[in-house]
Amino acid sequence: RADCPEMIEGERFERTVALVDVAEDAFYVFDMFRVVGGRDHARFMHSHLSRLTTRGLDLQPAPDYGHDTQMRDFRMDPNACAGWTAQWEVEQAAAPSAAQPPLCLQCVDLTDGAAAGICEGWVALQGYRDNREAWLPRTIVRRTAEKAPLDSTFLGLIEPHRGRPGVCAARRVESDGDAVAVEVELRAGGRDLIVA
């Protein structure tokens, strides 16, 4: 857990991550990001050069995020329901064989009361060493309020996999006070309950 509210001049700016093994060679990451302060909170995520698909979002063209960011082609679902998924299929130099499916990164988002969508973000592929550039597909989860301070908890599960992900379902469980509880259903059988 990392905590540094002075980064935003807010009351809270805290990230908690936990690596959860599901097999000898498989895992997922529990990711919780809490922010209190201001009126506009957004969490972006991207992978490597990849193709992005989503499930559970009704994406419509939307205005750019603004704030002088180098992003474009926003499509948003203003009323996203917790539990939508994004999956990046990473580009590979050679086509994957039948024995080795493509490398993917899946994110199950469990954030309540947020708009969610996709966009593209500009990156310099080799930093300052050459001039190769790309537009990487990204997800955005955004919460806004008319009055400050806005209190947000961004919540998700991140899982790299080849073939089928080990997490087949996840849901937020009712909890008291400041606690967050997530139930994770595993494809191999069994469930995890995470309380943070």
Side-chain angles (χ1 to χ4, degrees):
R1 174 173 290 165
D3 186 11
C4 190
E6 52 274 10
M7 282 185 68
I8 60 163
E9 298 179 5
E11 299 170 35
R12 188 177 209 173
F13 193 74
E14 175 187 281
R15 193 85 177 251
T16 303
V17 295
L19 184 71
V20 182
D21 291 325
V22 294
E24 191 171 303
D25 61 349
F27 65 91
Y28 64 87
V29 175
F30 168 80
D31 180 21
M32 181 174 66
F33 187 20
R34 290 176 157 165
V35 183
V36 178
R39 297 183 298 119
D40 189 350
H41 300 160
R43 184 194 68 197
F44 293 90
M45 182 175 166
H46 67 257
S47 180
H48 194 56
L49 296 171
S50 57
R51 184 174 62 87
L52 173 61
T53 56
T54 62
R55 282 192 330 258
L57 292 178
D58 180 17
L59 297 173
Q60 304 295 327
D64 282 353
Y65 175 69
H67 304 287
D68 295 323
T69 58
Q70 294 177 318
M71 292 185 281
R72 68 182 187 189
D73 295 338
F74 281 78
R75 291 184 288 149
M76 299 293 292
D77 180 342
N79 302 303
C81 293
W84 64 271
T85 62
Q87 181 161 279
W88 292 263
E89 183 176 315
V90 177
E91 290 182 13
Q92 301 177 68
S97 67
Q100 188 171 29
L103 177 62
C104 296
L105 181 70
Q106 176 178 271
C107 177
V108 179
D109 192 273
L110 300 168
T111 306
D112 284 330
I118 62 174
C119 64
E120 294 180 332
W122 181 86
V123 294
L125 292 175
Q126 295 294 319
Y128 295 109
R129 289 183 274 171
D130 68 25
N131 61 0
R132 288 187 298 154
E133 60 185 6
W135 289 91
L136 297 183
R138 288 184 174 159
T139 58
I140 173 176
V141 181
R142 190 175 192 183
R143 300 188 73 245
T144 57
E146 291 188 17
K147 291 184 176 183
L150 176 59
D151 186 342
S152 297
T153 300
F154 296 98
L155 190 61
L157 304 174
I158 304 165
E159 179 186 9
H161 66 88
R162 285 189 184 274
R164 296 174 69 187
V167 171
C168 60
R171 68 182 184 92
R172 203 164 172 167
V173 180
E174 288 295 323
S175 54
D176 293 331
D178 205 26
V180 170
V182 174
E183 183 181 40
V184 182
E185 184 180 338
L186 302 174
R187 192 170 306 283
R191 298 177 190 275
D192 292 338
L193 179 63
I194 302 170
V195 180

